[in-house]
Amino acid sequence: MLRLVLRRVLAVVPALLGLALAAAVVAALAGPGWVEALGAALAALPATLALVLPALALGTVLGALLGVMGGAGAVLGGVGPAMPGFLLAAVFAATLAKAPVLLGLAALALPAAAQAATLAGRARAGAEDTVLLAARGRGMDGSALLWRLVLPLGLSAAMGGLRSAVAGTVTAAVAVESLFGRTGAGQLFVEAARAGDTGMAFAALAGMCGLTVLLSALGGALHGFIDPRARMA
Amino acid sequence: MHGPAGTESRTDPHWRDGPWQKAGQRLTAHRPAAAGLTVLAALMLAVAAGLVAGGGPVGAALAAGHQSLSFTLLAGLGGAALGLLWAAAAVALGERAERAMMAPAAALTGLPLALALPLVGGLLGPQRGLAPMVMVAALIAAPAVAVIARDELRALLRREFLSAAQAAGIPNGRRLRRHILPNAVLPLAAAAWTALPRALMAESLASLLGLGLPAGVTGWGTAIGAAARAGDAVALAGPALLLALTLWALHGVGDGMRLAFATAFSTTAGGRR
Amino acid sequence: MSGADVIGPDDRSPLRVEGLSLLTSRDILLDRLSFAVEPGEVLALSGAAGAGKTLLLRALSGLAPKGVTVLGDIHIQGRRILVTQDGALDPLRTIGAQFTELLAHQSGMDERTALRCAAEALERFQVPAAARRLALHPHELGEAMRWRAALALAMAAEPALLLADAPAAALDPTQRVRLLSDLAAWTREAGTALLLAGRPQPDPIQADPVPSGLADRRLILAQGRLEAPEEEPTPAPPPVEPAPSGPPILSVRDLRVAFPLGRSWRGAERWLTVVDGLSIALAEGETLALLGETGSGKSVLARAILRLVPPVGGQVSWLGTDLAAAPPEAMRRARGDLQILFPDPLAAFDPLMTIGAQFAETLESLRPSRSTAQSAAQSTADRAARLAEALEEVGLPAAVLDLHPGSLRPAEAARAGLARALLPEPRLLVCDEPAATLDGSERADFLALLQAIRRRRRLALLYATQDAAEGLGIARRALVLLLGRIVESADSVVLATGARHPYSRALIAAAGLDRPALHGDPPSPLRPPTGCPLRLRCPLAHDGCAQVPPTLDPVAPGHRVACHVAQDSAQEDGKAP
């Protein structure tokens, strides 16, 4: 597991360095305060991570669980495309601005869960006549089948879509931070962009891209941990 | 033995239909796609009618829809064209160029690219024009289109009937015109369609943050952002509902196209090399 | 087949079926079947595609699909296990873990015993270093090894009844027949009843597996009922044709086909060699079969002759013209003489054009009309008539011209493909497993049609197939290919009874459902073994085989073999008298 994580993370190091370099160059070209800009962007990232990571984890696991069960999962997957994170954030902000932390989390987790549910449901349907039938033919059934085979397969499929889920969640996190007034890289980005502060905005964006790349790599390692077929890539 | 008679009666009433009809049947057989097409058509009509009638909160939402949909259409078409060009160039230029061109496209699809639109919007300031924004949105949508289109083209070039055309002595130019291009149309259309929801998402997000459509132009995103900041649930309902519906319809149609067209013309699965 | 010849319905039968019907709301899929399988008996179940074999097996294992009603009695004594068509294993866990789980679940075995049991089970299928394979995941195994693991897993659970749905259908006959023989031997020894369904594709089990001893009895499923196997008339031996003589029309010299695999980290270019210095000469009207397993290069060779795959070396000359150096116009003229039948005829038609339009395109390209303007209408009518004639020759109505390929059934597509190939009036027909998508009687009909047309038109034929019986039946001479090289070449009659190369013998044995004497899997073409390419699988290999690759030398007039052992014994035969 550790080796897998290391390999995945090392593989994205050049991309991360490239992003940092690009951010530094743009910030330096834009104004004299580029060191501060980079520092501010880096300092704001943990807050964004604290928003994105739980939402992704929660969304993927719950979505996969619902997806392999069918029923509610299929409904969730079906309406998924209609509710991108930024739209949910706006709706929550306008209607029930009571518990912003939980609401922000929900706005990010729901789309991730919908995608996971779709992928997991599809994986289950695809496995029904192959892997699952073969396992039933060997006398496996009931909860053993569900926990030992169906759920891992669904989870693996959901994690296969993690790359786009991470990108989507980070994008939506900008809207959540901006609408709920939370501090973080997204908030920093929006304010810098509104103020026309090129260096700061670009540094914040590069920071979020780096976060996305890193989270995708970790997600890929986790996927490989669950599914040996994903270890090769 | 049942003689291979060709015209004897079969159970499927549509067995004689041409490939284009069959592709259409497959598309409308996919329920979200059929519903999505209906919704999109209705929406277009409603927006057109709203422009004429106007007035009231519904009229405002429809007018905003006009802005959002026009932007989406322009940016989506641009993104689709860019993506297809990207993929076609990569495939045409040979293996090494293909790898060099497709690796960045694949890497870009994994980044929060949609944020480039508010970035540019902010940098251009409130007096920004529409054209650069459309262009950036097109660039945002292009890499994903390119990745899908490249896969489709590669799969198409491996199809056996191209070998058969070669065995029939058909020159390369004619092979491209008569066999490759017609067969590429539907799979590439499915790939191109994905640019539309992407462009709409990017525009709505940017407008919601106040960094999308230029000042004075109100799209759905702009209206939603204003309502959310004011805490006005009533003003939010119209545009949010319409935006959700449009996104759902675009995705539904895109899904249907992928299912119906990507496998559409491979009359049999598999086959050996 | 009714219960008449089943030995009394005693309680020992692992499977006894009485009046089993399967219904959907609309029709009857299987109609009142009755049969029984005794312990240790191997029962083969055959039938055309869609006859309901898979459905029957699923119903017998209690896993009938949704919407299918099961009526009648199924008595099962003891444990039953179904091995599905794809032999799927759990993709997420190692082979060993799957054995441990199944054995713990079924007989409460602890892990160490289970693993030992698993290794023993794999060894029954001659898996070398079985214990090491247990640490691998299914996707890390080759297709053949995955099937061995799936069947070993099923048998390790000691079932009383094993239902195997077309096991290992995608494997080469050599590997498949060996696997099935080993399985049958094991079930007989263990007293397990084995119900073996055939696949819809051309399949030895569809032919009669009883005479070869693979199965004890055979049931045929047709129109939802069981039929008694009828005596198949032995096909009349084909009329002996005089050996074609005259100068070769096609001659292939040292043909090499390889695909670049990119560069290794040291910068050296790596190639995958598929056809390695092959030479063939074919006279007017001659028929030649190319036999070999998957990966032997027969298909690529067929395509390289027509320059559908660019060769990297060697020469293909047609009537004295070197095709590699031919200008486009000469190449097009040669293409009119050289036509090909593809393995998937349906995929070889452009789905967007009608059959007629594609025929017309082929004809216009390869036999352009030199008509003047006045006779244009005349020539159009001529062409239409010619297309209809072409279809008539292969037994299709002219109405097929207006259809798109998507409306054709596989048998019709195969015939349409043949008609298209015949349109430019070729002199050589290259066939790349042309009947691979057909089964049963459709296949036999198509091959008979091909033979009849070949004789009538005096076509030269190059017929690539992995089914030795089919190839030897159709062609007068045969070449046996292994990793892109010829290992044996002889007349079909000679080869059918007196093949010298162990690999040829295995191919021919597999075609007759006898257990082939090759062990292990084909070596990777990326890293072929030193010396003889077969030596790792060969039962006769000695140390010398690893040193030098054998050359193709004559052992008898018109019979050449590339095998050290066969050459040595031929020499001794020559000295003895």
Side-chain angles (χ1 to χ4, degrees):
Chain A
M1 178 69 196
L2 197 62
R3 273 181 52 196
L4 200 60
V5 171
L6 274 178
R7 220 174 64 207
R8 290 294 166 114
V9 171
L10 280 180
V12 296
V13 162
L16 292 177
L17 288 178
L19 278 169
L21 191 68
V25 168
V26 171
L29 285 178
W34 64 278
V35 180
E36 287 81 54
L38 287 185
L42 270 181
L45 277 180
T48 306
L49 181 68
L51 188 62
V52 169
L53 195 58
L56 270 174
L58 211 63
T60 307
V61 172
L62 287 183
L65 195 62
L66 286 173
V68 295
M69 303 281 199
V75 174
L76 179 65
V79 300
M83 42 176 214
F86 68 85
L87 188 56
L88 283 180
V91 171
F92 291 162
T95 49
L96 1 107
K98 298 261 159 43
V101 178
L102 282 184
L103 285 178
L105 201 65
L108 296 185
L110 267 173
Q115 191 197 340
T118 307
L119 292 173
R122 225 179 265 162
R124 182 187 178 145
E128 201 64 58
D129 274 340
T130 59
V131 179
L132 298 186
L133 182 65
R136 288 201 184 98
R138 283 191 285 269
M140 196 174 174
D141 54 10
S143 65
L145 192 70
L146 179 68
W147 290 106
R148 307 227 38 173
L149 196 53
V150 178
L151 197 57
L153 281 176
L155 202 55
S156 163
M159 300 193 82
L162 213 49
R163 218 168 84 100
S164 69
V166 172
T169 309
V170 170
T171 310
V174 174
V176 169
E177 285 178 5
S178 168
L179 287 173
F180 289 96
R182 295 167 54 111
T183 52
Q187 167 85 319
L188 194 68
F189 168 73
V190 173
E191 271 167 14
R194 280 198 188 127
D197 181 353
T198 312
M200 184 67 91
F202 199 86
L205 180 56
M208 283 188 286
C209 285
L211 187 68
T212 310
V213 170
L214 203 61
L215 281 179
S216 297
L218 289 177
L222 209 56
H223 187 200
F225 180 66
I226 291 181
D227 189 339
R229 290 170 297 182
R231 276 174 215 169
M232 318 270 235
Chain B
M1 179 216 159
H2 313 283
T7 47
E8 72 192 47
S9 66
R10 305 188 194 205
T11 46
D12 175 14
H14 295 296
W15 71 272
R16 274 194 82 108
D17 288 352
W20 300 98
Q21 284 106 301
K22 279 188 180 155
Q25 286 158 11
R26 270 196 302 269
L27 177 63
T28 45
H30 184 70
R31 252 190 275 155
L37 281 173
T38 319
V39 165
L40 285 181
L43 214 62
M44 298 277 206
L45 281 179
V47 165
L51 282 183
V52 179
V58 178
L62 288 174
H66 174 67
Q67 305 295 346
S68 278
L69 288 180
S70 313
F71 185 95
T72 302
L73 197 64
L74 283 177
L77 284 179
L82 270 175
L84 294 184
L85 218 60
W86 192 334
V91 170
L93 287 178
E95 219 165 298
R96 192 169 294 181
E98 187 177 333
R99 268 200 298 272
M101 287 177 75
M102 293 319 294
L108 283 176
T109 53
L111 291 180
L113 266 194
L115 293 178
L117 195 62
L119 177 70
V120 173
L123 299 188
L124 291 177
Q127 304 311 317
R128 58 189 172 258
L130 208 51
M133 297 304 280
V134 168
M135 234 147 24
V136 174
L139 281 172
I140 288 170
V145 176
V147 169
I148 306 172
R150 196 278 301 254
D151 291 349
E152 291 291 347
L153 284 176
R154 273 277 148 237
L156 173 61
L157 290 178
R158 274 197 302 269
R159 303 268 298 270
E160 188 95 297
F161 64 84
L162 296 177
S163 295
Q166 201 185 344
I170 292 163
N172 283 341
R174 191 180 155 82
R175 208 152 64 108
L176 182 70
R177 272 199 324 279
R178 294 291 306 269
H179 297 288
I180 298 181
L181 288 183
N183 277 288
V185 168
L186 288 186
L188 290 188
W193 185 272
T194 59
L196 291 174
R198 263 170 215 279
L200 180 56
M201 290 258 271
E203 181 270 318
S204 301
L205 171 67
S207 299
L208 184 143
L209 299 172
L211 297 165
L213 295 174
V217 182
T218 307
W220 281 329
T222 328
I224 293 170
R229 267 179 229 103
D232 184 351
V234 182
L236 181 104
L241 221 58
L242 284 176
L243 177 61
L245 204 59
T246 312
L247 279 174
W248 183 82
L250 286 173
H251 272 281
V253 177
D255 251 14
M257 284 172 90
R258 188 172 51 78
L259 292 175
F261 300 161
T263 53
F265 295 140
S266 48
T267 36
T268 50
R272 298 157 5 90
R273 247 195 72 91
Chain C
M1 170 120 300
S2 64
D5 65 341
V6 173
I7 316 143
D10 62 40
D11 287 332
R12 269 180 64 254
S13 309
L15 172 67
R16 193 154 48 80
V17 177
E18 276 161 24
L20 174 70
S21 299
L22 297 188
L23 321 164
T24 62
S25 53
R26 276 183 296 133
D27 42 3
I28 301 172
L29 303 170
L30 294 179
D31 190 13
R32 285 164 292 158
L33 313 183
S34 297
F35 62 95
V37 195
E38 302 303 316
E41 190 183 27
V42 180
L43 181 62
L45 178 70
S46 46
K53 302 185 293 286
T54 298
L55 205 59
L56 174 61
L57 259 55
R58 283 187 68 166
L60 292 181
S61 52
L63 297 170
K66 282 201 187 83
V68 173
T69 317
V70 181
L71 298 178
D73 293 327
I74 302 175
H75 302 282
I76 290 180
Q77 292 281 321
R79 188 179 293 152
R80 65 184 160 189
I81 285 198
L82 169 72
V83 177
T84 51
Q85 219 159 34
D86 53 1
L89 293 162
D90 177 352
L92 305 183
R93 258 173 297 169
T94 61
I95 304 295
Q98 299 185 43
F99 271 98
T100 340
E101 182 177 17
L102 184 70
L103 294 181
H105 175 70
Q106 298 218 316
S107 22
M109 216 178 260
D110 66 88
E111 194 179 337
R112 277 190 49 192
T113 332
L115 285 178
R116 203 172 58 235
C117 198
E120 279 165 12
L122 283 179
E123 272 160 12
R124 300 281 314 220
F125 290 111
Q126 276 93 34
V127 176
R132 241 186 297 149
R133 314 266 174 175
L134 292 176
L136 297 178
H137 290 92
H139 73 276
E140 292 163 307
L141 302 177
E143 175 84 3
M145 194 56 76
R146 220 163 37 70
W147 268 107
R148 289 182 196 123
L151 291 174
L153 182 59
M155 280 304 289
E158 297 179 342
L161 169 67
L162 182 61
L163 305 156
D165 189 1
L171 292 186
D172 273 86
T174 37
Q175 289 183 309
R176 177 164 201 245
V177 172
R178 192 177 165 97
L179 187 65
L180 294 186
S181 307
D182 289 345
L183 177 67
W186 190 357
T187 56
R188 283 190 182 119
E189 187 188 314
T192 299
L194 173 61
L195 186 57
L196 201 59
R199 62 173 165 160
Q201 292 279 316
D203 183 354
I205 293 183
Q206 294 287 20
D208 200 345
V210 177
S212 68
L214 186 59
D216 302 315
R217 253 182 336 127
R218 180 183 182 214
L219 296 179
I220 299 176
L221 208 52
Q223 271 107 47
R225 289 167 172 273
L226 286 181
E227 286 180 357
E230 43 189 274
E231 286 297 308
E232 280 174 26
T234 40
V240 178
E241 294 171 46
S245 52
I249 49 173
L250 174 79
S251 88
V252 175
R253 267 193 303 279
D254 280 329
L255 189 69
R256 251 186 63 122
V257 183
F259 300 107
L261 291 173
R263 288 169 189 284
S264 71
W265 56 276
R266 270 188 239 146
E269 259 202 86
R270 294 188 311 139
W271 291 83
L272 172 64
T273 304
V274 184
V275 174
D276 195 1
L278 262 177
S279 302
I280 300 176
L282 203 62
E284 178 97 53
E286 180 157 31
T287 52
L288 181 65
L290 302 172
L291 308 178
E293 296 179 324
T294 306
S296 60
K298 54 190 190 311
S299 171
V300 173
L301 170 65
R303 280 155 201 249
I305 289 175
L306 277 91
R307 258 178 68 198
L308 300 180
V309 177
V312 294
Q315 222 183 20
V316 177
S317 49
W318 172 251
L319 296 174
T321 318
D322 181 10
L323 292 186
E329 196 42 47
M331 188 64 210
R332 181 137 27 125
R333 241 177 291 126
R335 286 201 186 284
D337 289 340
L338 298 162
Q339 280 293 303
I340 179 168
L341 296 186
F342 290 96
D344 184 350
L346 208 48
F349 281 109
D350 185 336
L352 294 186
M353 288 167 79
T354 61
I355 300 293
Q358 299 187 54
F359 278 20
E361 189 181 40
T362 304
L363 199 55
E364 187 53 47
S365 158
L366 295 179
R367 295 280 182 254
S369 56
R370 286 178 209 84
S371 58
T372 51
Q374 305 95 301
S375 63
Q378 166 83 36
S379 106
T380 316
D382 274 359
R383 307 224 128 196
R386 204 163 152 195
L387 301 189
E389 249 169 55
L391 280 178
E392 202 189 326
E393 188 175 4
V394 297
L396 290 177
V400 168
L401 287 178
D402 298 327
L403 294 179
H404 284 91
S407 311
L408 296 184
R409 282 194 289 239
E412 293 161 353
R415 283 163 187 251
L418 178 58
R420 172 169 65 178
L422 293 177
L423 265 180
E425 290 172 4
R427 297 167 68 179
L428 167 64
L429 200 54
V430 176
C431 303
D432 182 9
E433 305 231 18
T437 53
L438 306 182
D439 65 340
S441 56
E442 288 182 336
R443 183 182 178 88
D445 286 350
F446 178 76
L447 292 179
L449 176 74
L450 181 63
Q451 274 288 40
I453 288 177
R454 183 194 66 72
R455 282 206 198 95
R456 191 161 64 240
R457 295 189 168 224
R458 284 194 49 73
L459 285 172
L461 195 71
L462 206 59
Y463 193 94
T465 177
Q466 55 172 308
D467 181 347
E470 185 181 302
L472 295 180
I474 236 168
R476 202 186 61 78
R477 280 179 58 73
L479 300 180
V480 183
L481 299 186
L482 171 63
L483 282 182
R485 282 186 214 171
I486 301 175
V487 294
E488 185 157 11
S489 120
D491 284 359
S492 296
V493 189
V494 175
L495 211 54
T497 52
R500 307 278 186 119
H501 200 285
Y503 175 73
S504 322
R505 280 194 218 146
L507 285 175
I508 290 161
L513 288 187
D514 288 324
R515 185 170 183 275
L518 290 185
H519 41 77
D521 299 333
S524 154
L526 292 175
R527 274 175 292 113
T530 58
C532 174
L534 191 69
R535 76 182 161 85
L536 298 177
R537 302 167 68 198
C538 182
L540 310 176
H542 54 68
D543 294 344
C545 294
Q547 313 290 325
V548 230
T551 51
L552 190 62
D553 289 327
V555 290
H559 190 170
R560 292 185 302 159
V561 178
C563 170
H564 293 308
V565 180
Q567 283 162 7
D568 292 348
S569 67
Q571 265 173 13
E572 277 161 30
D573 289 351
K575 276 179 216 154

